[in-house]
Amino acid sequence: MRTLGKLLVMVFAVCMAGQVQAQQINFNRSLDNFRYPDKRGVNVFEAPKDTLSTFDGVDVRVGGSFALQYQAIDNENAGLAGYELKEAGSNFNLATANMDLDVELYDGVRMHLRTYLSSRHHHEPYVKGGYLLIDKLDFVSEGFLSDLMQYTTIKVGHMENNYGDAHFRRSDNAQALHNPFVGNLIMDAFTTEVGAEVYYRRSGFIGMVGFTNGKLNQSVEENAEGKTGGASFLAKIGYDKQVNDDFRFRLTGSLYNTGYVPSSYLYNADRAGARYYNLMQDATATSDDFRATRYNPNLSNSITAVMINPFMKYGGLEFFGTIEMAKGKASYEEDDRTAMQYAGELIYRFGADENIYVGGRYNLVDSEDISGEDVTIDRIQFAAGWFMTRNILLKAEYVVQNYNDFGATSILNEGQFNGAMVEAVISF
């Protein structure tokens, strides 16, 4: 995907030079059924299905996101010989950048493609993923199955899978404007696989089923058993309703389940890395453990994960919660292990058009670790943010994370980090 990413950057430059005139190029275009990348996309989950068609030929919307943090966080552990941590000071992190292409291809048919121009793990551009979103089947014949399609959406691609609601609020490399905090959850469920999802939404009801090939890295190579991969099943059911002008309620339950897969990446697929840089890392390491500070339960061969997410907003006060259970095992294990995650965040938005907010989040992971230990990790975050414009967000966070019950041979033994971060985000 890296070669394709470089090609897309070249195409972008050509477009900016005005050499491509076969279709319209827009930078702030409001597409049909579109989740805005700016402040208007806050507290939006699945792309909506509530707008009339405005299609008037192929239309390309070029967007992007940029994020930069100043980090002042200390980390420590038990300091046993051979398990010392790298020292972390205060300075700026690598600036990250995304480029988005959203293309209306036909009435009710849209394509999305996201490229990471710069990320913690890869300094060179590479494609995160993309999909085709179908809200109408008029390309078959005008009005084809229109009674069904007014409530149905089909999504196909090599894309971010819709497991749970937390991934709609997480930072996706440089797209951090929808996340009221700086860091994502400790057990950060996120993966990109080739597959399809079908949605049915009516009168507040949400239903989705999907299948993928269960692979992060695509390949047709057979393993020793003559298999090239497996399959993952996704499902979501829920209810989302703006009850009155002041109160909105949403509750969803999601499932991610694998049969046979060579390796499940549900909790370690994000190539952009953790937001807290250079923490909880071996002092002797010569490379960046870019996912450190997150927790991966290492359920790599089979996994059943369930996530429940309540969301309530009354006036400027909002609550978002996560209850998650992941069960499975690594390929060499005989018995399943279980990891539980709980998170609750309370945000209060105020000011002109709710452009200022303060909030807090508590996050706990309780897991039967692959080491054989029963471990817990807890984190508390306090945050404040200011939308200078709908495209510019400045936010600050104070974070404390503790590692409990990790054995003496773990670098996380009596581990802890705490400190502050300031993040500036631009998204358009």
Side-chain angles (χ1 to χ4, degrees):
M1 281 193 165
R2 300 177 194 172
T3 302
L4 181 55
K6 295 175 182 178
L7 178 60
L8 281 169
V9 175
M10 295 173 61
V11 171
F12 175 77
V14 171
C15 291
M16 298 308 97
Q19 299 301 311
V20 175
Q21 299 177 355
Q23 63 277 321
Q24 303 176 57
I25 305 289
N26 295 293
F27 290 91
N28 204 24
R29 169 83 158 83
S30 298
L31 304 180
D32 295 339
N33 298 319
F34 181 64
R35 185 192 186 189
Y36 293 98
D38 56 38
K39 182 176 177 289
R40 292 171 292 178
V42 171
N43 292 333
V44 176
F45 296 88
E46 292 84 6
K49 190 178 178 71
D50 58 3
T51 58
L52 298 175
S53 174
T54 61
F55 180 76
D56 187 26
V58 175
D59 200 355
V60 181
R61 185 189 192 278
V62 180
S65 300
F66 305 89
L68 177 64
Q69 310 87 34
Y70 184 86
Q71 178 174 307
I73 299 179
D74 295 323
N75 67 160
E76 62 183 35
N77 65 359
L80 300 178
Y83 300 98
E84 295 89 355
L85 294 174
K86 287 184 178 180
E87 295 293 333
S90 302
N91 216 314
F92 288 97
N93 293 325
L94 172 74
T96 54
N98 295 355
M99 184 180 74
D100 292 339
L101 294 178
D102 291 278
V103 185
E104 285 190 335
L105 299 168
Y106 198 79
D107 190 8
V109 181
R110 175 164 58 86
M111 183 205 78
H112 168 79
L113 183 67
R114 173 162 291 174
T115 299
Y116 293 161
L117 300 179
S118 174
S119 64
R120 177 178 175 182
H121 183 46
H122 290 281
H123 300 175
E124 75 280 6
Y126 64 104
V127 172
K128 169 210 169 179
Y131 55 81
L132 192 69
L133 196 71
I134 302 172
D135 282 311
K136 293 182 179 180
L137 296 175
D138 286 9
F139 57 88
V140 178
S141 65
E142 186 172 354
F144 184 72
L145 295 180
S146 59
D147 290 342
L148 175 64
M149 291 306 296
Q150 66 176 316
Y151 306 113
T152 304
T153 300
I154 303 168
K155 190 175 181 182
V156 182
H158 187 177
M159 60 193 179
E160 179 178 332
N161 300 148
N162 187 7
Y163 164 67
D165 282 353
H167 73 107
F168 291 113
R169 296 170 70 91
R170 71 188 295 280
S171 295
D172 185 17
N173 195 41
Q175 173 46 287
L177 192 138
H178 298 149
N179 185 354
F181 301 92
V182 176
N184 296 326
L185 294 180
I186 297 171
M187 247 168 62
D188 188 18
F190 168 93
T191 187
T192 53
E193 299 170 2
V194 175
E197 299 168 350
V198 179
Y199 298 80
Y200 187 84
R201 289 175 281 184
R202 186 171 186 175
S203 302
F205 169 82
I206 306 166
M208 183 275 290
V209 292
F211 289 92
T212 78
N213 71 342
K215 298 182 68 166
L216 175 70
N217 300 310
Q218 302 306 314
S219 171
V220 298
E221 183 179 351
E222 292 185 346
N223 63 11
E225 298 175 347
K227 298 179 180 179
T228 60
S232 298
F233 172 73
L234 297 116
K236 176 178 285 190
I237 189 169
Y239 184 78
D240 189 341
K241 185 73 171 178
Q242 186 72 45
V243 179
N244 54 45
D245 290 343
D246 294 322
F247 182 58
R248 178 184 172 193
F249 173 77
R250 177 182 169 103
L251 176 66
T252 65
S254 300
L255 170 70
Y256 177 94
N257 176 256
T258 64
Y260 165 81
V261 289
S263 185
S264 175
Y265 285 89
L266 182 60
Y267 298 105
N268 68 331
D270 183 14
R271 288 85 74 199
R275 212 46 150 197
Y276 307 117
Y277 283 57
N278 302 115
L279 301 178
M280 311 311 296
Q281 301 203 22
D282 189 339
T284 63
T286 57
S287 60
D288 178 25
D289 182 2
F290 64 98
R291 295 190 183 104
T293 72
R294 296 177 181 172
Y295 178 72
N296 175 19
N298 289 295
L299 310 175
S300 57
N301 188 240
S302 66
I303 183 170
T304 298
V306 177
M307 184 185 291
I308 299 172
N309 298 110
F311 172 75
M312 291 170 281
K313 189 176 192 305
Y314 184 81
L317 185 65
E318 66 185 53
F319 170 81
F320 179 78
T322 298
I323 302 172
E324 184 173 17
M325 181 208 69
K327 187 175 183 178
K329 59 186 178 181
S331 58
Y332 55 85
E333 293 181 298
E334 293 184 2
D335 299 323
D336 286 345
R337 293 178 289 107
T338 301
M340 299 293 300
Q341 176 167 235
Y342 310 91
E345 54 191 69
L346 195 64
I347 308 292
Y348 183 65
R349 302 181 188 272
F350 58 97
D353 195 28
E354 297 186 352
N355 65 324
I356 302 172
Y357 68 84
V358 293
R361 175 202 278 160
Y362 180 72
N363 189 185
L364 172 69
V365 169
D366 186 352
S367 177
E368 298 172 344
D369 191 61
I370 196 169
S371 66
E373 307 282 349
D374 289 334
V375 302
T376 62
I377 307 170
D378 62 84
R379 178 199 292 171
I380 189 166
Q381 296 161 266
F382 298 102
W386 173 34
F387 282 92
M388 301 167 62
T389 74
R390 73 184 186 189
N391 301 99
I392 305 172
L393 171 63
L394 181 65
K395 55 183 170 179
E397 176 186 285
Y398 183 80
V399 59
V400 179
Q401 181 160 314
N402 299 294
Y403 297 83
N404 308 300
D405 305 316
F406 284 84
T409 58
S410 171
I411 199 165
L412 302 178
N413 180 236
E414 297 184 23
Q416 192 242 28
F417 66 85
N418 67 90
M421 291 188 76
V422 178
E423 184 172 47
V425 186
I426 300 171
S427 189
F428 59 91

